[in-house]
Amino acid sequence: MEEVIVKEVQSRREMDDFVRLPRRLYADFPCYVPDLESDVRNTFDVRRNSALEFSDIRAFVAYDGSGRPVGRVAGIINRRANQKWGTRQVRFGFIEFEDDLRISAALLDAVADWGRGQGMEEMVGPMAIFDFDKEGMLLEDFDRPGSSITIYNPPYYPRHLEALGFQKEVDWVQAHIEIPKQLPQRYARTAALAQEMFGLRVRKLTHKELRESDIGRRVFRLLNEAYAPLYGYTELQDSQIDEYLARYIPLLDLRMVPVVENAEGELVGVAITMPSLTRALQRSGGRLWPWGWFHLLRALKWKREDKADLYLVAVRPDYQGLGVNALFFADLLPIYNKLGFKQAETGPQLETNLKELSQWKPLHPTVGKRRRCYKKILTWKEE
């Protein structure tokens, strides 16, 4: 390669290069799960992403001397996160590159230069605007399929970051379980006590409720409350909540989404789980048309994979440790068996969140798929 030229995306053609680059990079990686290309484009569209009301984002593409795209990255400044956590951070995300240190260095330099120009002092990533989006660079288990909610990357990516002076900020791990035929006795006892002593009960929402009442917003406000202390989290605004509801309500099988209420009818817990979309997204190639929509609908409604994805589990802070999670398991395990699921996998969980990780112990989980957020201090360049 003669040279590396990094351009900030300004045209439709350059955005096409940004969006389509992973098709070529991951052609020989059978465990890679693509994003929907429409979702990637919408991330940068102020008309479709209300998070851009409080965030700035820039897309960059690296080209070789012949004009061939060889890498991409996004620079992100979440002003609300910086205010909440008392930081001056620029995030990098959507990072992809060929195995050439000049490419990764040029991409990250572009984000660093933009961040410095905005007064930022640190660079962290891979992260997105919001915590529910994909974050963390995969460090291990490259032979295990990815998922619709996690980043998959080649093994050489973390070597590049470390060679460029990035250091560990936080790590996330995932728990993988084999679904038992019977509810473990520990969960059964704890669930019974939660019902008897604290008046807790599980119920299922309906699509009509989610469309016509404020229960959807209440669910996301509970997520805000439960996740507020976690690394990098910024609370969702109502405009973002409405976007999530519009995007995901049609996809949900509400049998797989239990909520827990207390005796006063207050929402104190929610578990959002779905059939795995791994193979459907792989078959779609990241495109809804002409047949991607069919593969996704088939996986959701007609021919499910044998794995369930545990996207989000949240408990109101004052009810944590009172058996809410046991109620989720008591409700979901029979449903999983009825629907033919044989395994389940959590989303990424902070390795330091021992309370969250310990809840899986009765199910004898395999913990892995470690992924990392890196950090680097931005030194000021001399003119």
Side-chain angles (χ1 to χ4, degrees):
M1 183 184 300
E2 295 178 358
E3 58 181 336
V4 178
I5 301 169
V6 176
K7 296 182 179 180
E8 182 179 339
V9 169
Q10 301 287 351
S11 67
R12 182 178 181 84
R13 178 177 179 180
E14 289 165 349
M15 180 54 73
D16 288 344
D17 289 340
F18 183 95
V19 170
R20 295 169 181 169
L21 177 67
R23 294 188 202 173
R24 177 172 57 80
L25 285 182
Y26 289 99
D28 297 323
F29 287 85
C31 293
Y32 171 70
V33 179
D35 294 312
L36 285 176
E37 293 183 354
S38 57
D39 286 348
V40 177
R41 294 181 191 276
N42 289 345
T43 299
F44 298 87
D45 189 338
V46 294
R47 298 167 299 176
R48 294 180 170 86
N49 186 359
S50 62
L52 296 181
E53 296 172 9
F54 58 83
S55 299
D56 298 314
I57 189 168
R58 298 290 186 274
F60 301 91
V61 178
Y63 297 90
D64 66 11
S66 67
R68 183 175 64 99
V70 292
R72 75 175 193 187
V73 73
I76 300 160
I77 297 175
N78 182 327
R79 297 188 297 277
R80 291 182 64 221
N82 280 334
Q83 181 178 14
K84 174 181 176 178
W85 297 101
T87 56
R88 299 185 67 82
Q89 293 181 339
V90 56
R91 302 176 177 188
F92 67 89
F94 292 100
I95 187 164
E96 308 285 0
F97 49 85
E98 294 184 4
D99 190 6
D100 186 320
L101 194 62
R102 292 174 296 174
I103 300 171
S104 53
L107 288 167
L108 290 165
D109 281 348
V111 174
D113 288 343
W114 175 65
R116 288 190 195 95
Q118 304 300 311
M120 299 299 105
E121 298 172 351
E122 300 174 336
M123 180 159 55
V124 295
M127 294 186 71
I129 294 176
F130 189 63
D131 194 62
F132 291 163
D133 298 322
K134 296 183 179 184
E135 56 191 5
M137 185 171 286
L138 189 65
L139 304 181
E140 61 185 17
D141 294 326
F142 300 101
D143 59 342
R144 292 173 57 187
S147 76
S148 62
I149 58 172
T150 57
I151 292 172
Y152 181 90
N153 53 262
Y156 63 83
Y157 276 30
R159 295 200 298 269
H160 280 237
L161 270 289
E162 290 157 15
L164 293 170
F166 285 82
Q167 297 181 336
K168 174 182 174 179
E169 174 74 339
V170 295
D171 278 8
W172 296 270
V173 294
Q174 292 174 256
H176 182 277
I177 61 174
E178 301 296 324
I179 295 174
K181 295 298 182 183
Q182 301 294 328
L183 180 69
Q185 281 300 308
R186 176 177 166 183
Y187 290 147
R189 290 192 301 269
T190 304
L193 285 170
Q195 291 172 312
E196 181 179 349
M197 295 181 64
F198 306 112
L200 302 181
R201 69 183 184 99
V202 176
R203 80 173 180 95
K204 298 298 172 65
L205 305 174
T206 67
H207 283 98
K208 183 177 181 180
E209 278 184 293
L210 288 169
R211 287 193 305 269
E212 299 179 3
S213 74
D214 71 340
I215 187 67
R217 283 190 173 185
R218 288 166 54 201
V219 165
F220 276 95
R221 288 168 186 158
L222 173 63
L223 294 171
N224 278 342
E225 191 175 358
Y227 291 159
L230 298 182
Y231 175 80
Y233 188 84
T234 47
E235 288 74 9
L236 283 165
Q237 299 182 125
D238 283 348
S239 57
Q240 291 174 276
I241 290 173
D242 292 343
E243 285 180 358
Y244 275 98
L245 291 171
R247 186 184 309 169
Y248 293 115
I249 284 177
L251 304 179
L252 294 177
D253 182 338
L254 293 177
R255 292 174 295 177
M256 299 174 62
V257 185
V259 300
V260 172
E261 295 178 337
N262 63 16
E264 290 73 40
E266 296 172 329
L267 189 67
V268 300
V270 60
I272 300 176
T273 79
M274 288 179 63
S276 172
L277 297 178
T278 292
R279 293 193 183 94
L281 286 167
Q282 289 176 329
R283 289 169 181 149
S284 77
R287 300 179 293 278
L288 282 175
W289 305 102
W291 293 109
W293 64 270
F294 171 78
H295 295 301
L296 291 169
L297 188 61
R298 185 170 181 258
L300 290 166
K301 305 291 185 182
W302 306 321
K303 187 175 176 56
R304 301 177 184 88
E305 297 182 30
D306 66 359
K307 189 180 85 168
D309 282 334
L310 312 180
Y311 281 13
L312 300 167
V313 179
V315 180
R316 209 170 81 181
D318 55 331
Y319 278 83
Q320 292 174 7
L322 300 185
V324 176
N325 287 320
L327 287 167
F328 290 146
F329 294 128
D331 177 79
L332 285 171
L333 289 180
I335 293 170
Y336 287 167
N337 278 299
K338 180 179 179 180
L339 295 176
F341 296 118
K342 294 181 171 57
Q343 53 188 319
E345 189 171 66
T346 71
Q349 300 176 312
L350 286 167
E351 65 173 353
T352 55
N353 193 351
L354 300 181
K355 183 186 295 186
E356 183 73 14
L357 291 169
S358 66
Q359 69 178 309
W360 311 107
K361 284 186 178 179
L363 297 172
H364 310 291
T366 300
V367 177
K369 289 189 175 179
R370 181 177 294 273
R371 59 192 72 246
R372 177 163 296 171
C373 174
Y374 288 92
K375 182 169 79 171
K376 187 175 183 180
I377 303 299
L378 296 180
T379 56
W380 293 94
K381 291 184 175 180
E382 295 183 4
E383 297 294 337

